[in-house]
Amino acid sequence: MTTDAPALLPILYVPDPRLRAKAKPVEPNDPRIPALAERMLATMYKAPGIGLAAPQVGELLRLVVVDVHPEEKPVPMVLVNPEIVAASTELATREEGCLSLPNQFAEVTRPARVKVRWTDLTGARKEVEADGLLAACLQHEIDHLNGVLFVDHISALKRNMLLRKLAKELKAKARD
Ligand code: K1U
Ligand code: ZN
């Protein structure tokens, strides 16, 4: 017997105002969350991306999915109500992209290491001390839950250039 693949979700692009809203906590035992997480993971792998936050698919809930090694055996993480509980003073800079700003990239500086707590789909409390790409990705996704985008971490000059380039490219794509 085969099971149907989860339906993909449309990803919102900047300047959709839902990307600037603060997402609401997920209530314990919310019955919508397992199916939404499954669809978000399918959407993230298809994009492809290494993370996706619920507001990027129009759901203003504190839910994130992550897999920082999408080309290897899938190791999906589903984070309900994730929180950064500690961050290093040491900083790290790496190039970031965002599925809500397709084809736009910039060097972003953030804490090099973070401790993140969340609840999994069974309601169990989880914690990770992350560095490298996982640390950057978790911070990027938790920013989405607060209406913050990676371009908010770069200079106004670079941000405006990148946002103008994005608007032009999305307009050209809409004409195709
Ligand atoms: O939240 C998002 O928009 C997803 C975003 C996450 C992210 C990327 C880089 C640094 C921090 C957070 C992406 O996944 S952009 C695509 C991407 O980085 C990628 C895609 C395929 C393979 C490897 C990376
Ligand atoms: Zn993003």
Side-chain angles (χ1 to χ4, degrees):
M1 198 183 80
T2 55
T3 46
D4 288 338
L8 301 181
L9 295 157
I11 296 176
L12 305 181
Y13 297 151
V14 168
D16 191 297
R18 287 168 285 182
L19 293 168
R20 289 305 196 175
K22 190 170 164 68
K24 293 206 160 50
V26 172
E27 298 293 337
N29 305 314
D30 182 331
R32 300 170 298 167
I33 299 305
L36 175 59
E38 192 183 31
R39 293 181 71 186
M40 285 172 58
L41 280 167
T43 304
M44 177 191 79
Y45 285 122
K46 183 78 178 31
I50 57 171
L52 188 67
Q56 292 181 276
V57 293
E59 296 288 345
L60 296 182
L61 291 168
R62 302 189 81 79
L63 175 67
V64 158
V65 296
V66 167
D67 185 346
V68 291
H69 302 292
E71 52 296 293
E72 295 165 24
K73 180 181 167 291
V75 187
M77 294 170 73
V78 176
L79 299 91
V80 177
N81 298 327
E83 282 177 82
I84 296 170
V85 295
S88 63
T89 51
E90 187 193 334
L91 303 176
T93 301
R94 68 166 57 236
E95 187 172 75
E96 295 192 15
C98 180
L99 298 177
S100 295
L101 293 93
N103 301 316
Q104 312 304 319
F105 302 93
E107 296 279 316
V108 176
T109 300
R110 303 178 181 273
R113 292 175 301 283
V114 284
K115 188 192 281 188
V116 175
R117 283 195 194 133
W118 72 95
T119 304
D120 73 9
L121 288 174
T122 72
R125 300 290 297 160
K126 299 279 181 181
E127 186 176 289
V128 70
E129 282 190 36
D131 62 7
L133 182 58
L134 180 60
C137 188
L138 289 170
Q139 291 175 78
H140 178 118
E141 300 310 330
I142 292 169
D143 269 357
H144 273 302
L145 305 181
N146 296 319
V148 174
L149 301 171
F150 80 90
V151 291
D152 301 328
H153 295 282
I154 64 179
S155 72
L157 181 69
K158 282 189 197 157
R159 178 165 58 248
N160 290 336
M161 275 172 54
L162 195 147
L163 292 176
R164 271 199 294 272
K165 181 168 162 281
L166 174 68
K168 208 168 140 188
E169 289 174 9
L170 290 177
K171 205 169 151 189
K173 199 171 140 197
R175 277 201 301 265
D176 286 347

